[in-house]
Amino acid sequence: MKKGMFLGILFLLLGSCSKDDPPPKVPGEVFLLFPENNSLCITGISQSPTTSEVTFRWEAATTTDTYELLVTELNGSTTQRQITSGLSASVVLDKGVPYSWRVKAINQDSGKETSSTVWQFYNAGSSLSYPPCPASLLEPASGASVFPDVNSQVLLEWEPSDPDNDLLEIEVYFGTDPDALPMFASLCCAAVNLQVSVSSGTVYYWQILCRDEAGNTSLSSLNSFRAL
Protein backbone atom coordinates (compact mmCIF):
# COMPACT_ATOMS: atom_id res chain seq x y z
CA MET A 1 0.00 0.00 0.00
CA LYS A 2 2.76 2.41 0.97
CA LYS A 3 4.67 1.50 -2.17
CA GLY A 4 1.62 2.30 -4.32
CA MET A 5 1.14 5.66 -2.65
CA PHE A 6 4.81 6.49 -3.14
CA LEU A 7 4.64 5.64 -6.83
CA GLY A 8 1.49 7.71 -7.23
CA ILE A 9 3.10 10.78 -5.64
CA LEU A 10 6.21 10.26 -7.77
CA PHE A 11 4.15 10.16 -10.98
CA LEU A 12 2.33 13.34 -9.95
CA LEU A 13 5.63 15.11 -9.31
CA LEU A 14 7.06 13.95 -12.62
CA GLY A 15 3.92 15.04 -14.40
CA SER A 16 4.02 18.50 -12.87
CA CYS A 17 7.69 18.91 -13.77
CA SER A 18 7.08 17.90 -17.37
CA LYS A 19 4.59 20.69 -17.95
CA ASP A 20 6.26 23.72 -19.52
CA ASP A 21 5.29 27.10 -18.16
CA PRO A 22 4.06 29.43 -20.89
CA PRO A 23 6.69 31.97 -21.97
CA PRO A 24 6.16 35.54 -20.72
CA LYS A 25 4.25 37.75 -23.10
CA VAL A 26 6.55 40.22 -24.83
CA PRO A 27 4.94 43.28 -26.50
CA GLY A 28 5.42 43.75 -30.21
CA GLU A 29 7.29 46.67 -31.76
CA VAL A 30 5.72 50.13 -31.70
CA PHE A 31 5.70 52.01 -35.02
CA LEU A 32 5.71 55.80 -34.71
CA LEU A 33 3.49 58.00 -36.89
CA PHE A 34 3.62 61.68 -35.88
CA PRO A 35 5.57 63.97 -35.56
CA GLU A 36 7.58 62.51 -38.39
CA ASN A 37 11.30 61.90 -38.00
CA ASN A 38 13.54 64.92 -38.72
CA SER A 39 10.51 67.11 -39.42
CA LEU A 40 9.55 70.68 -38.64
CA CYS A 41 6.42 70.30 -36.51
CA ILE A 42 4.06 73.22 -37.20
CA THR A 43 0.71 71.59 -36.36
CA GLY A 44 0.80 72.02 -32.59
CA ILE A 45 -1.91 74.05 -30.85
CA SER A 46 -0.44 77.28 -29.52
CA GLN A 47 -0.78 77.60 -25.75
CA SER A 48 1.25 80.79 -25.25
CA PRO A 49 3.84 82.86 -27.13
CA THR A 50 6.47 80.32 -26.08
CA THR A 51 4.65 76.95 -25.91
CA SER A 52 2.41 74.73 -28.02
CA GLU A 53 0.60 71.43 -27.49
CA VAL A 54 1.74 68.63 -29.78
CA THR A 55 -0.20 65.37 -30.19
CA PHE A 56 1.97 62.27 -30.67
CA ARG A 57 0.55 59.28 -32.54
CA TRP A 58 1.70 55.67 -33.04
CA GLU A 59 0.39 52.29 -34.23
CA ALA A 60 -0.90 49.57 -31.92
CA ALA A 61 1.55 46.89 -30.76
CA THR A 62 0.61 43.27 -30.09
CA THR A 63 0.17 41.88 -26.54
CA THR A 64 0.31 45.40 -25.12
CA ASP A 65 -1.75 46.86 -22.27
CA THR A 66 -0.26 50.34 -21.94
CA TYR A 67 2.17 52.65 -23.68
CA GLU A 68 4.73 55.06 -22.23
CA LEU A 69 5.52 58.15 -24.30
CA LEU A 70 8.92 59.75 -23.64
CA VAL A 71 9.65 63.19 -25.12
CA THR A 72 13.18 64.57 -24.57
CA GLU A 73 14.32 68.16 -25.09
CA LEU A 74 17.60 67.81 -26.95
CA ASN A 75 19.08 71.10 -25.75
CA GLY A 76 18.61 70.31 -22.07
CA SER A 77 18.06 66.52 -22.02
CA THR A 78 14.92 66.85 -19.85
CA THR A 79 12.29 64.17 -20.52
CA GLN A 80 8.50 64.28 -20.17
CA ARG A 81 6.68 60.97 -19.70
CA GLN A 82 3.05 59.98 -20.19
CA ILE A 83 1.43 56.56 -19.75
CA THR A 84 -1.73 55.77 -21.71
CA SER A 85 -3.74 52.82 -22.99
CA GLY A 86 -4.49 54.71 -26.22
CA LEU A 87 -2.52 55.35 -29.38
CA SER A 88 -1.91 59.06 -28.88
CA ALA A 89 -0.95 61.55 -26.20
CA SER A 90 -0.58 65.33 -26.09
CA VAL A 91 2.36 67.17 -24.51
CA VAL A 92 2.97 70.91 -24.07
CA LEU A 93 6.40 71.80 -25.51
CA ASP A 94 8.53 74.89 -25.91
CA LYS A 95 8.43 76.50 -29.33
CA GLY A 96 11.61 76.73 -31.39
CA VAL A 97 13.24 73.76 -29.63
CA PRO A 98 14.42 70.34 -30.96
CA TYR A 99 13.00 67.19 -29.37
CA SER A 100 13.33 63.42 -29.66
CA TRP A 101 10.58 60.94 -28.83
CA ARG A 102 9.93 57.24 -28.48
CA VAL A 103 7.19 54.95 -27.16
CA LYS A 104 7.51 51.88 -24.96
CA ALA A 105 4.89 49.10 -25.23
CA ILE A 106 4.21 47.44 -21.86
CA ASN A 107 2.58 44.11 -20.99
CA GLN A 108 1.39 44.46 -17.40
CA ASP A 109 1.07 40.70 -16.70
CA SER A 110 4.65 39.85 -17.65
CA GLY A 111 6.22 43.24 -16.93
CA LYS A 112 7.97 43.04 -20.31
CA GLU A 113 8.61 46.18 -22.38
CA THR A 114 9.50 46.86 -26.00
CA SER A 115 10.76 50.26 -27.16
CA SER A 116 10.23 51.90 -30.53
CA THR A 117 12.96 53.57 -32.52
CA VAL A 118 13.85 57.15 -31.56
CA TRP A 119 12.57 59.96 -33.79
CA GLN A 120 13.42 63.64 -33.54
CA PHE A 121 11.73 66.83 -34.71
CA TYR A 122 11.83 70.60 -34.31
CA ASN A 123 8.83 72.18 -32.60
CA ALA A 124 8.30 75.28 -34.71
CA GLY A 125 8.01 78.77 -33.31
CA SER A 126 7.61 82.18 -34.92
CA SER A 127 11.12 82.22 -36.38
CA LEU A 128 11.63 81.81 -40.11
CA SER A 129 15.03 80.15 -39.61
CA TYR A 130 15.60 77.20 -37.31
CA PRO A 131 18.89 75.78 -36.05
CA PRO A 132 19.84 72.23 -37.01
CA CYS A 133 18.87 69.42 -34.67
CA PRO A 134 21.85 68.06 -32.72
CA ALA A 135 23.54 65.38 -34.81
CA SER A 136 23.05 61.76 -33.74
CA LEU A 137 26.41 60.09 -33.05
CA LEU A 138 26.24 56.55 -34.43
CA GLU A 139 29.65 54.87 -34.29
CA PRO A 140 31.64 54.22 -32.21
CA ALA A 141 28.99 53.87 -29.52
CA SER A 142 29.78 55.96 -26.47
CA GLY A 143 31.94 54.02 -24.01
CA ALA A 144 32.84 51.35 -26.55
CA SER A 145 36.24 49.71 -26.99
CA VAL A 146 37.29 49.79 -30.64
CA PHE A 147 39.95 48.00 -32.67
CA PRO A 148 41.60 50.43 -35.15
CA ASP A 149 42.06 49.35 -38.75
CA VAL A 150 45.41 48.45 -40.32
CA ASN A 151 46.22 52.16 -40.61
CA SER A 152 45.58 52.77 -36.89
CA GLN A 153 42.39 54.66 -37.72
CA VAL A 154 38.80 54.59 -36.46
CA LEU A 155 35.75 55.66 -38.46
CA LEU A 156 33.49 58.24 -36.78
CA GLU A 157 29.90 58.13 -38.07
CA TRP A 158 27.02 60.52 -37.38
CA GLU A 159 23.63 61.57 -38.75
CA PRO A 160 22.88 65.31 -39.13
CA SER A 161 19.37 66.71 -39.33
CA ASP A 162 18.13 70.17 -40.30
CA PRO A 163 14.34 70.70 -40.47
CA ASP A 164 14.45 73.65 -42.88
CA ASN A 165 17.17 72.08 -45.06
CA ASP A 166 19.75 74.89 -45.04
CA LEU A 167 22.63 73.03 -43.39
CA LEU A 168 25.91 74.63 -44.40
CA GLU A 169 28.81 72.87 -42.69
CA ILE A 170 29.78 70.34 -40.05
CA GLU A 171 32.61 70.74 -37.55
CA VAL A 172 34.16 67.66 -35.92
CA TYR A 173 35.67 68.12 -32.45
CA PHE A 174 37.99 65.27 -31.47
CA GLY A 175 40.70 64.68 -28.89
CA THR A 176 41.68 63.25 -25.50
CA ASP A 177 40.60 66.13 -23.23
CA PRO A 178 36.79 66.33 -22.90
CA ASP A 179 37.01 69.82 -21.38
CA ALA A 180 39.03 71.31 -24.25
CA LEU A 181 38.27 69.47 -27.48
CA PRO A 182 39.96 71.06 -30.49
CA MET A 183 38.19 71.35 -33.82
CA PHE A 184 39.57 68.46 -35.84
CA ALA A 185 37.89 69.08 -39.21
CA SER A 186 35.42 71.35 -40.99
CA LEU A 187 33.33 69.45 -43.55
CA CYS A 188 30.58 70.10 -46.04
CA CYS A 189 26.96 69.61 -45.05
CA ALA A 190 26.71 66.19 -46.75
CA ALA A 191 29.48 64.60 -44.63
CA VAL A 192 28.38 61.73 -42.40
CA ASN A 193 31.72 60.12 -41.40
CA LEU A 194 35.42 60.77 -40.91
CA GLN A 195 38.53 58.64 -40.35
CA VAL A 196 40.65 59.65 -37.33
CA SER A 197 44.07 58.34 -36.28
CA VAL A 198 44.30 56.84 -32.78
CA SER A 199 46.83 55.31 -30.39
CA SER A 200 46.24 51.99 -28.65
CA GLY A 201 45.08 52.19 -25.04
CA THR A 202 43.92 55.83 -25.30
CA VAL A 203 40.42 57.17 -24.55
CA TYR A 204 39.12 59.66 -27.11
CA TYR A 205 36.18 62.09 -27.03
CA TRP A 206 34.23 63.59 -29.93
CA GLN A 207 31.35 65.93 -30.76
CA ILE A 208 29.69 67.26 -33.89
CA LEU A 209 28.66 70.90 -34.39
CA CYS A 210 26.22 71.67 -37.22
CA ARG A 211 25.90 75.18 -38.69
CA ASP A 212 23.24 76.37 -41.13
CA GLU A 213 23.24 79.19 -43.68
CA ALA A 214 21.73 81.65 -41.17
CA GLY A 215 24.55 81.01 -38.71
CA ASN A 216 22.43 78.90 -36.34
CA THR A 217 24.35 76.07 -34.66
CA SER A 218 23.67 72.94 -32.65
CA LEU A 219 26.09 70.75 -30.70
CA SER A 220 25.71 67.00 -30.34
CA SER A 221 26.21 64.99 -27.19
CA LEU A 222 29.79 64.20 -26.10
CA ASN A 223 30.78 60.60 -26.88
CA SER A 224 33.89 58.66 -25.92
CA PHE A 225 35.62 55.41 -26.93
CA ARG A 226 38.81 53.52 -26.08
CA ALA A 227 41.20 52.48 -28.83
CA LEU A 228 42.45 48.89 -28.32
Side-chain angles (χ1 to χ4, degrees):
M1 182 68 177
K2 290 182 179 180
K3 183 177 180 181
M5 291 178 62
F6 174 77
L7 290 174
I9 294 172
L10 181 61
F11 287 140
L12 286 173
L13 290 173
L14 290 174
S16 64
C17 291
S18 64
K19 294 179 180 177
D20 294 329
D21 293 329
K25 295 180 179 179
V26 178
E29 184 179 359
V30 185
F31 293 98
L32 306 182
L33 296 176
F34 183 86
E36 295 179 355
N37 194 28
N38 297 327
S39 67
L40 182 63
C41 178
I42 57 175
T43 60
I45 300 173
S46 182
Q47 302 295 300
S48 75
T50 60
T51 62
S52 62
E53 184 180 66
V54 176
T55 299
F56 296 81
R57 295 185 287 107
W58 55 90
E59 294 183 358
T62 57
T63 60
T64 297
D65 301 308
T66 57
Y67 301 90
E68 183 179 16
L69 168 67
L70 301 97
V71 184
T72 300
E73 180 187 339
L74 295 180
N75 289 339
S77 296
T78 57
T79 299
Q80 297 188 57
R81 291 175 167 84
Q82 282 198 29
I83 294 180
T84 177
S85 58
L87 300 178
S88 66
S90 298
V91 182
V92 176
L93 304 174
D94 291 332
K95 294 178 180 179
V97 174
Y99 290 89
S100 67
W101 71 290
R102 63 189 176 101
V103 175
K104 289 194 295 186
I106 304 169
N107 184 285
Q108 294 179 333
D109 291 335
S110 65
K112 298 292 185 180
E113 301 178 351
T114 300
S115 181
S116 71
T117 57
V118 179
W119 280 9
Q120 62 183 23
F121 67 98
Y122 205 95
N123 191 33
S126 58
S127 174
L128 297 178
S129 177
Y130 299 95
C133 292
S136 299
L137 306 188
L138 304 178
E139 295 291 341
S142 190
S145 296
V146 181
F147 285 102
D149 62 19
V150 294
N151 297 314
S152 297
Q153 292 186 323
V154 168
L155 183 66
L156 306 181
E157 298 181 78
W158 61 88
E159 182 180 13
S161 172
D162 185 29
D164 48 7
N165 295 314
D166 64 343
L167 193 62
L168 179 63
E169 63 180 346
I170 290 172
E171 295 178 359
V172 180
Y173 290 80
F174 174 76
T176 57
D177 184 355
D179 297 320
L181 281 183
M183 188 177 73
F184 184 82
S186 179
L187 308 172
C188 74
C189 61
V192 293
N193 58 56
L194 178 68
Q195 292 275 10
V196 292
S197 297
V198 297
S199 298
S200 178
T202 303
V203 175
Y204 291 92
Y205 301 85
W206 64 294
Q207 276 183 302
I208 299 295
L209 183 142
C210 295
R211 179 178 287 105
D212 66 15
E213 294 177 356
N216 300 314
T217 62
S218 67
L219 189 62
S220 74
S221 60
L222 176 68
N223 275 18
S224 66
F225 66 91
R226 178 183 293 275
L228 297 176

